[in-house]
């Protein structure tokens, strides 16, 4: 099927896979729109026919990459697997993030890491300490090189062709409309200006951004050189970002640049000493599920899109450079299919040739869904799953965390169907931990010394207040993996809760279903509701694992 579409001026290779080009366009438009677009909005943004948009959305939904919410198509955490493949293959966030975070703590200023992406810079890590008053960027955001501090440093490595395409882009888009993360350019700076900054950066080994993005925002940057690459090219650039209310640009250079340089020296030592990334077990047959989905969904499932997208997830830690054979093996796709997907991605700027017969992902893979999801919260992750659960069991479902004192739980997300409690529970409501199923699950994971189980007041005739009995209940909750509380908080109210664990296995929250005691017996609750609840917790945990791999997920 020869491709007829032209996305831009470059000719589309005849072997490119049209549905893959269209699927990528949908993901990019959703990302630029902040994560959500209606189907008709997507139609306008991509220029595709409505029936095509619907089939692409159905396919992406099947993959878990989007949710269909009424008329809206919404990016969902599993799509971060694409950007994670790039970040894992790159290896820098795993080695350098902790250094960046420590510097941000020490300076009490934001610190970020960026890589060069054609004539722009793209963030691969953000340790944000930004107060009000200035924009803050997200992992995956793309900025025009000339309006940043890292830009001139990357430009020291640009080829003539890169300089040429930079000039062409500036002429074609004088207001930076193509960069959705930055406000439009107001002061037209000359090309020569940036050429001078790049020449300075080469001499100094650092660069400044004195309010090039917006008034008040200042940054200082130092390149992190990669000793592994032999030549000592720039692996990424480390930035300290502040506001003129705290530091002028000159002040950043005088006071914070030395500390940034010291941190960069540590980062370079880390890169030097890091053992070669050892691939986890190579994935195999990533794409085998697509045939079954095709059988089930028929015309609505665009199999070539689903297959093509799995090609990106064949890359990862210790798998930065793959041959066609590697990709075919990891995905289970025929070589010809894998090859056409790679050709398509190369055309789209998402894959580049690397080394001898290898391919590698480019930073642009982060433009497929990453920025809007990279600053999510557990509550946001859980909400659609709670709504589905509430729909299935016809009862209210909630997510809660333990308050810092450890004495109360606080609701952070909720899907209500009925109101069975005399108190109206909303997000933010606090209740005593010891008398709730959510609290028991959370207390069960605390070290015994941190549990406060003395002087507990009975809330109903059935409330457990005896510390020894309560300890037994917590031990039960821990070994069984759930807590059931029967009319101990309020007469007539029964609830069952299970823990939500993060990537490290730590319990970070709990989910529950609450119901009127007359609706189901305790046995029915365990038999019918608990499995659904566990399934929901499993989905929340799976999303949290993907979202939390390189980005920070807020827990409350
Ligand atoms: C940022 O990390 O937000 C940042 C970095 C460099 C800049 C501006 C902002 O020049």
């Amino acid at each position: 099927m020869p491709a007829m579409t032209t996305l831009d001026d470059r000719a589309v290779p005849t072997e490119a896979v049209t549905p893959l080009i269209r699927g990528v366009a949908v993901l990019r438009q959703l990302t630029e729109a902040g994560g959500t677009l209606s189907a008709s909005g997507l139609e306008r943004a991509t220029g595709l026919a409505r029936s095509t948009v619907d089939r692409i959305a159905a396919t992406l939904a099947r993959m878990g990459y989007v949710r269909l919410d009424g008329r809206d198509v919404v990016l969902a955490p599993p799509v971060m697997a694409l950007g994670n493949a790039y970040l894992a293959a790159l290896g820098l966030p795993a080695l350098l993030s902790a250094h960046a975070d420590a510097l941000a703590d020490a300076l009490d200023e934001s610190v970020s890491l960026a890589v060069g992406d054609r004539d722009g810079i793209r963030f691969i890590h953000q340790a944000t300490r930004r107060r009000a008053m200035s924009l803050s960027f997200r992992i995956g955001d793309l900025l025009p090189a000339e309006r940043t501090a890292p830009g001139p440093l990357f430009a020291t490595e640009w080829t003539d062709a890169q300089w040429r395409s930079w000039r062409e882009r500036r002429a074609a888009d004088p207001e930076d409309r193509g960069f959705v993360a930055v406000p439009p350019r107001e002061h037209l700076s000359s090309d020569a200006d940036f050429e001078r900054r790049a020449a300075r950066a080469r001499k100094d080994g650092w660069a400044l951004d004195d309010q090039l993005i917006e008034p008040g925002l200042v940054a200082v940057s130092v390149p992190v050189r990669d000793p592994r690459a032999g030549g000592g090219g720039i692996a990424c650039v480390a930035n300290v970002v502040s506001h003129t209310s705290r530091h002028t640009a000159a002040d950043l250079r005088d006071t914070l640049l030395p500390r940034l340089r010291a941190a960069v020296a540590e980062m370079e030592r880390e890169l030097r000493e890091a053992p070669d990334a050892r691939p986890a077990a190579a994935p195999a047959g990533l794409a085998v599920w697509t045939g079954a989905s095709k059988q089930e969904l028929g015309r609505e499932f665009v199999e070539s899109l689903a297959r093509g997208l799995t090609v990106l997830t064949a890359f990862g830690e210790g798998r930065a450079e793959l041959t066609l054979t590697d990709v075919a093996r990891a995905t289970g796709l025929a070589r010809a299919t894998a090859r056409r997907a790679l050709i398509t991605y190369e055309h789209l700027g998402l894959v580049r040739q690397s080394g001898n017969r290898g391919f590698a992902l480019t930073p642009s893979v982060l433009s497929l869904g990453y920025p809007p999801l990279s600053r999510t919260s557990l509550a946001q992750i859980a909400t659609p799953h709670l709504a589905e659960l509430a729909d299935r069991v016809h009862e209210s479902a909630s997510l809660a965390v333990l308050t810092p004192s450890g004495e109360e739980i606080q609701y952070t997300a909720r899907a209500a169907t009925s109101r069975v409690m005399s108190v109206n529970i909303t997000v933010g409501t606090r209740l005593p931990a010891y008398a709730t199923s959510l609290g028991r699950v959370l207390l069960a994971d605390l070290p015994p010394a941190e549990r406060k189980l003395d002087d507990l007041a009975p809330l109903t005739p059935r409330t457990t207040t005896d510390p020894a009995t309560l300890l037994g209940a917590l031990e039960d909750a821990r070994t069984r993996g759930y807590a059931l509380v029967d009319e101990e908080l309020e007469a007539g109210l029964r609830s069952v809760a299970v823990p939500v664990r993060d990537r490290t296995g730590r319990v970070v929250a709990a989910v529950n279903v609450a119901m009127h005691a007359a609706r189901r017996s305790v046995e029915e609750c365990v038999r019918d509701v608990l499995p659904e609840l566990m399934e929901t917790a499993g989905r929340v945990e799976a999303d949290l694992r993907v979202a939390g791999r390189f980005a920070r997920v807020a827990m409350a």
Side-chain angles (χ1 to χ4, degrees):
M1 158 183 51
M4 296 302 178
T5 335
T6 23
L7 267 192
D8 53 33
D9 305 338
R10 282 167 308 146
V12 178
T14 51
E15 287 169 291
V17 184
T18 304
L20 191 50
I21 294 177
R22 293 173 170 172
V24 165
V26 164
L27 286 175
R28 282 184 162 156
Q29 291 301 333
L30 281 170
T31 307
E32 297 209 344
T36 305
L37 273 174
S38 65
S40 46
L42 271 172
E43 220 181 312
R44 273 192 302 278
T46 58
L48 295 169
R50 177 55 174 268
S51 59
T52 307
V53 166
D54 287 345
R55 292 170 63 218
I56 289 171
T59 305
L60 295 172
R62 178 68 171 207
M63 300 184 78
Y65 287 1
V66 302
R67 273 188 298 115
L68 305 180
D69 186 0
R71 259 180 252 139
D72 287 340
V73 182
V74 186
L75 289 173
V79 79
M80 294 177 85
L82 303 176
N84 284 346
Y86 164 72
L87 293 171
L90 182 66
L92 297 174
L95 292 171
L96 305 183
S97 293
H99 292 273
D101 295 352
L103 182 62
D105 284 343
L107 302 180
D108 196 23
E109 296 287 353
S110 296
V111 171
S112 61
L113 300 175
V115 293
D117 186 357
R118 292 156 301 158
D119 62 357
I121 70 151
R122 209 182 274 278
F123 293 108
I124 58 167
H125 185 69
Q126 279 284 351
T128 308
R129 286 287 170 299
R130 213 149 308 169
R131 295 94 176 157
M133 297 191 298
S134 60
L135 271 178
S136 63
F137 297 106
R138 305 160 300 180
I139 299 175
D141 274 333
L142 178 72
L143 274 49
E146 69 278 12
R147 284 177 70 186
T148 68
L153 293 161
F154 287 116
T156 61
E157 296 187 337
W158 284 358
T159 59
D160 288 346
Q162 278 175 296
W163 277 105
R164 211 172 315 119
S165 66
W166 171 76
R167 281 187 204 95
E168 283 165 14
R169 184 264 293 165
R170 300 238 315 154
D173 180 14
E175 292 183 338
D176 300 335
R177 299 279 172 189
F179 296 86
V180 294
V182 297
R185 177 153 39 120
E186 287 177 4
H187 313 287
L188 299 188
S189 62
S190 70
D191 286 4
D193 232 20
F194 184 60
E195 288 157 18
R196 266 193 300 275
R197 287 177 65 217
R200 275 292 303 259
R202 182 188 304 279
K203 225 165 57 210
D204 295 340
W206 51 269
L208 285 179
D209 162 5
D210 189 0
Q211 311 177 71
L212 297 166
I213 292 167
E214 65 166 12
L217 184 62
V218 288
V220 61
S221 300
V222 170
V224 181
R225 298 197 174 269
D226 193 348
R228 299 172 301 181
I234 301 176
C236 65
V237 168
N239 318 295
V240 174
V241 190
S242 189
H243 192 272
T244 46
S245 60
R246 291 187 302 284
H247 294 282
T248 63
D251 194 22
L252 269 189
R253 178 198 56 212
D254 297 339
T255 60
L256 301 189
L257 175 60
R259 301 177 69 181
L260 173 58
R261 283 188 141 148
V264 165
E266 284 300 301
M267 292 182 191
E268 290 176 340
R269 187 184 51 78
E270 185 83 52
L271 295 183
R272 214 163 27 244
E273 291 173 4
D276 281 345
R278 274 239 304 285
L286 288 171
V288 292
W289 60 277
T290 62
S293 295
K294 185 70 193 170
Q295 292 257 308
E296 222 177 288
L297 298 183
R299 240 187 85 72
E300 284 308 292
F301 188 75
V302 187
E303 197 176 6
S304 54
L305 168 58
R307 287 171 155 184
L309 286 171
T310 66
V311 164
L312 297 177
T313 60
F315 295 82
E317 190 177 354
R319 301 175 55 77
E321 200 178 294
L322 299 180
T323 63
L324 173 57
T325 306
D326 295 332
V327 171
R329 195 170 294 145
T331 54
L333 297 173
R335 281 174 67 90
T337 311
R339 184 171 158 275
R340 289 186 58 189
L342 290 166
I343 288 172
T344 309
Y345 285 132
E346 210 183 329
H347 168 67
L348 296 173
L350 297 165
V351 160
R352 61 182 170 79
Q353 309 236 8
S354 168
N356 210 355
R357 294 202 325 279
F359 296 90
L361 301 182
T362 73
S364 299
V365 172
L366 291 171
S367 70
L368 308 180
Y370 221 84
L373 290 161
S374 75
R375 213 172 271 159
T376 186
S377 66
L378 184 58
Q380 267 176 301
I381 288 176
T383 296
H385 297 296
L386 293 177
E388 254 179 45
L389 174 63
D391 252 17
R392 285 204 302 271
V393 299
H394 308 290
E395 307 283 3
S396 303
S398 305
L399 175 83
V401 295
L402 212 51
T403 58
S405 77
E407 289 170 30
E408 291 178 307
I409 56 160
Q410 179 160 30
Y411 286 79
T412 52
R414 182 165 162 82
T417 54
S418 60
R419 191 169 146 197
V420 292
M421 299 186 74
S422 57
V423 270
N424 185 22
I425 298 212
T426 57
V427 167
T429 298
R430 292 180 172 214
L431 291 175
Y434 66 95
T436 57
S437 61
L438 291 160
R440 296 247 176 111
V441 160
L442 293 164
L443 290 173
D445 194 61
L446 280 189
E450 288 174 33
R451 299 170 177 158
K452 301 200 186 82
L453 306 179
D454 301 321
D455 297 327
L456 303 179
L459 304 172
T460 75
R462 306 183 60 153
T463 312
T464 307
T465 53
D466 169 49
T469 314
L470 200 51
L471 274 180
L474 296 183
E475 192 48 32
D476 273 357
R478 219 173 51 77
T479 51
R480 291 192 191 138
Y482 72 90
L484 191 141
V485 170
D486 195 18
E487 304 193 76
E488 295 190 44
L489 176 71
E490 184 175 325
L493 180 76
R494 182 169 289 152
S495 78
V496 58
V498 301
V500 173
R501 295 175 189 276
D502 69 7
R503 310 176 54 79
T504 68
R506 199 169 59 94
V507 174
V508 290
V511 285
N512 86 339
V513 170
M515 70 207 85
H516 201 284
R519 299 242 312 171
R520 284 185 177 93
S521 67
V522 167
E523 292 70 32
E524 285 167 336
C525 182
V526 169
R527 189 194 65 203
D528 303 334
V529 176
L530 181 59
E532 300 279 354
L533 183 60
M534 288 183 154
E535 162 102 33
T536 297
R539 291 182 189 176
V540 173
E541 288 174 343
D543 279 4
L544 182 58
R545 270 196 297 278
V546 181
R549 185 157 178 205
F550 295 109
R552 199 194 310 274
V553 179
M555 286 301 149

